[in-house]
Amino acid sequence: MKKNQLGNSHMYVSEIGLGCMSLGTEQRKASDIIDRAIDAGINYLDTADLYDQTVNEAIVGQALKGKREQIILASKVGNHLQPDGSWFWDPSKAYIKEQVKTSLLRLQTDYLDLYQLHGGTIDDPIDEVIEAFEELKQEGLIRYYGISSIRPNVIREYVNRSSIVSVMMQYSLLDRRPEESMLDFLHEEGISVVTRGSLAKGFLTDHAKTVIKNKGDGGYLSYSADELKEVIDELKQIDLVNNSLTSTAMRYVTHHPAIASVVTGASSTKQLDDNISAILHASTLPLSLHEKLQKITKQNFYTNHR
């Protein structure tokens, strides 16, 4: 499994990461998926305190017993859970510094390799957020920090004012917004992107026909249901990488040098195996195919998110 440097950190993450949100709440099943991922060379695991209302972190922690040193472990903070299961946005320094300790307890580890702000707005106390992360680094509770965000104005603030090493953002053939202004900018700044949603909820997989039938009525982002079906049909008619839409979708996002890891979820070992096979056996995307894919799909644009 190819590994890429994460920003200017000393960490090298696998080209595919395991997004843990889809693991479910059954420990044995989740542990099997994580074990399979590690055996295949995946070393980047991404979770969050919000997933399954903290249960996901506990499951990941149990699965990583005896394997922690093999893993680049990432979690997220900022969504303040309440006893009734609801949550509110809380980027305060006090909450970040309190919550990391409970995350570490659930994950059964002394430190996080990467701690990410799980969202963010331009109205947040950004200096306070940065101060919290920097103090956590000094205290040895985290090695590096980043932000999970789709808001260009927020991302630029952290790039200009902090020492983030990565940005997690949604990026796929059907959601090309990061191409508008973010990917080149982050690459020039030496900050890596880890992607999420790169298979677009299954619409960009070799099972796309079934996925569209089951959940395509609402379309996807700016694509109507008819447009979604039309663009997927068009994609399937060209000479895809490995003759696979899954492989092509993954190779499309790894084409840009800012991308360090494509984080994909898996709810079964079979799904994980399919994702791993799709990228391991796929060649680099030829420029001619890259351009053809861009002509078929839309160039989406960010709105002025706060």
Side-chain angles (χ1 to χ4, degrees):
M1 177 78 67
K2 181 184 176 185
K3 293 185 172 59
N4 299 310
Q5 186 176 11
L6 190 69
N8 60 7
S9 76
H10 294 97
M11 302 188 300
Y12 284 76
V13 296
S14 49
E15 193 171 29
I16 292 184
L18 178 62
C20 296
M21 185 173 67
S22 303
L23 290 176
T25 55
E26 185 183 325
Q27 183 66 58
R28 181 62 180 271
K29 182 179 177 183
S31 293
D32 287 346
I33 294 170
I34 288 174
D35 287 345
R36 184 75 64 90
I38 294 172
D39 289 344
I42 291 176
N43 76 338
Y44 181 59
L45 267 61
D46 182 274
T47 182
D49 56 3
L50 188 66
Y51 297 164
D52 289 317
Q53 297 179 18
T54 74
V55 173
N56 190 259
E57 284 187 327
I59 283 175
V60 171
Q62 183 67 21
L64 288 180
K65 275 188 172 181
K67 309 178 186 75
R68 175 67 180 92
E69 297 307 315
Q70 301 176 50
I71 293 299
I72 304 295
L73 183 58
S75 193
K76 309 183 196 75
V77 68
N79 298 297
H80 195 140
L81 281 163
Q82 301 188 96
D84 64 359
S86 63
W87 58 271
F88 62 93
W89 179 239
D90 185 357
S92 67
K93 178 180 177 180
Y95 181 67
I96 292 169
K97 296 203 67 177
E98 168 198 346
Q99 188 61 20
V100 71
K101 295 172 184 175
T102 57
S103 285
L104 292 175
L105 284 173
R106 288 189 290 265
L107 289 162
Q108 301 185 47
T109 185
D110 297 328
Y111 68 97
L112 284 170
D113 297 292
L114 181 68
Y115 206 27
Q116 301 159 100
L117 187 67
H118 202 173
T121 75
I122 204 67
D123 298 320
D124 291 344
I126 293 176
D127 287 331
E128 183 179 318
V129 173
I130 295 168
E131 190 175 89
F133 282 122
E134 289 291 344
E135 287 183 10
L136 291 177
K137 278 178 65 177
Q138 293 167 12
E139 293 163 14
L141 297 179
I142 66 173
R143 295 175 65 194
Y144 300 97
Y145 64 97
I147 181 171
S148 175
S149 177
I150 61 168
R151 297 177 170 92
N153 55 348
V154 174
I155 293 169
R156 287 179 182 276
E157 288 298 316
Y158 281 92
V159 170
N160 293 332
R161 295 157 66 175
S162 77
S163 59
I164 60 169
V165 298
S166 64
V167 177
M168 172 175 262
M169 61 174 62
Q170 184 162 297
Y171 179 41
S172 75
L173 259 173
L174 297 180
D175 185 0
R176 294 173 46 211
R177 288 176 294 178
E179 295 173 10
E180 175 194 349
S181 60
M182 283 287 99
L183 295 182
D184 289 343
F185 167 66
L186 290 170
H187 183 57
E188 288 166 5
E189 295 291 332
I191 295 168
S192 288
V193 172
V194 291
T195 74
R196 61 179 178 83
S198 295
L199 296 178
K201 296 185 176 179
F203 293 122
L204 291 174
T205 68
D206 298 323
H207 308 292
K209 185 176 180 180
T210 301
V211 177
I212 289 174
K213 182 180 178 181
N214 292 337
K215 54 182 182 181
D217 288 350
Y220 183 76
L221 297 179
S222 60
Y223 289 89
S224 68
D226 288 340
E227 288 174 328
L228 179 63
K229 186 177 184 303
E230 183 180 334
V231 76
I232 297 302
D233 285 343
E234 216 173 328
L235 288 170
K236 286 187 169 185
Q237 290 169 19
I238 64 176
D239 188 17
L240 298 171
V241 174
N242 247 16
N243 199 31
S244 163
L245 183 54
T246 309
S247 293
T248 304
M250 287 190 178
R251 280 299 169 210
Y252 180 83
V253 295
T254 63
H255 183 80
H256 198 284
I259 309 302
S261 187
V262 181
V263 177
T264 59
S267 57
S268 68
T269 53
K270 172 67 166 60
Q271 187 178 29
L272 175 67
D273 289 343
D274 288 347
N275 290 343
I276 292 169
S277 178
I279 201 163
L280 284 185
H281 301 112
S283 57
T284 303
L285 200 69
L287 183 59
S288 58
L289 177 55
H290 187 267
E291 292 171 347
K292 190 178 291 186
L293 292 168
Q294 289 184 323
K295 287 178 181 178
I296 292 173
T297 56
K298 292 181 182 180
Q299 170 59 73
N300 321 86
F301 294 98
Y302 287 111
T303 54
N304 187 26
H305 292 292
R306 292 190 64 77

